[in-house]
Amino acid sequence: MTDLLRRALSSAPAVALAAGVCAGLAVGSAQAQSVWIFGERHDHPDHAKQTAEAVRTLARESRLRALVIEMAERGRSTSGLGPQATEADVRESLGWQEGAWPWAQYAPLVMAAVRSGAPVWGGNLPRAELRAAMSEPQWDERVPAQVHARLIDAVREGHCDVLPASQLVPMARVQIARDEQMARAVTEAVEGAAPGQVVVLHAGAAHASRLTGVPVHLARLAPSLPLRVIGFDSAYASAAEPGFDEWRAAQHVAPRDHCAELRARGMMPPAAAPSVPGVAPAAPPSSPSASDPASR
């Protein structure tokens, strides 16, 4: 989450935060919950490892309904595979995109669900629909105005002020579309769940936040669905952030200078970028995490 977004959220009402900021809370302590949402920084492998442990614990307790992940597209799942499926079969079923999501980082999480017999569902907006989402104004109305403003600010700062103003709203639409797709995948996974069963969603931190992400859409799509939203500290945020019910300690990695990476790719602030007649605005970055800077 960017500093600008964090400052904006810090002035918003706390959402179940006082009771939730407790690292390492026992997995079984929220028996009434139906959906647990874990928000990771994509470059911190320990976050996925901790979610994998929660999945294994729920499976041992026969409470795991399904695992939904940002790392695979909606419409993909392991539902046709058995617990003994090979990793190659799982990757094929999920349409795994190794260039965006290193399998070695997420295999323990995904395979923990597969080995338990629970299905893994893709939740992300299909890549083929990204460009269409950028041009569809319907997404602007899917979230409250204050959430939309926070997302615009996050896109601007997360891309180091190099995006032209004309691209801010389209990029925010992609984020909103992704969040709604994940929310719909969650509601589908919950259908038919027995009492006490849990659907786990693992996604980037901004997607997980109650103030900007999937919970905003679940409040509209399934207002009675109980949620438990869990975040992790990182090289970017060691203090608990608003929008999470729990905040857990995690192993840090050296922070990346994302702005330097953008500069290395030749992106410059709009005022400095040369105008080239006939050249369309820059396309969304190919890596999901690159166009999702607030989730790092």
Side-chain angles (χ1 to χ4, degrees), residues 220-290:
R220 170 172 51 85
L221 298 172
S224 62
L225 185 63
L227 308 179
R228 180 183 183 187
V229 184
I230 302 154
F232 304 97
D233 65 20
S234 69
Y236 309 106
S238 57
E241 295 176 352
F244 295 87
D245 304 331
E246 301 170 30
W247 194 253
R248 298 186 176 183
Q251 295 179 4
H252 293 190
V253 299
R256 290 166 51 190
D257 187 341
H258 300 289
C259 293
E261 293 174 12
L262 288 178
R263 288 193 296 271
R265 290 164 52 190
M267 298 182 71
M268 294 176 288
S275 176
V276 181
V279 176
S286 59
S287 166
S289 58

Side-chain angles (χ1 to χ4, degrees), residues 52 55-56 59 64 66-67 78 83 108-120:
V55 165
R56 284 190 287 268
L64 181 64
L67 170 66
T78 63
L109 169 60
V110 172
M111 297 308 296
V114 171
R115 294 289 179 249
S116 76
V120 180

Side-chain angles (χ1 to χ4, degrees), residues 193-208:
Q197 284 193 311
V198 175
V199 170
V200 172
L201 168 64
H202 186 83
H207 294 300

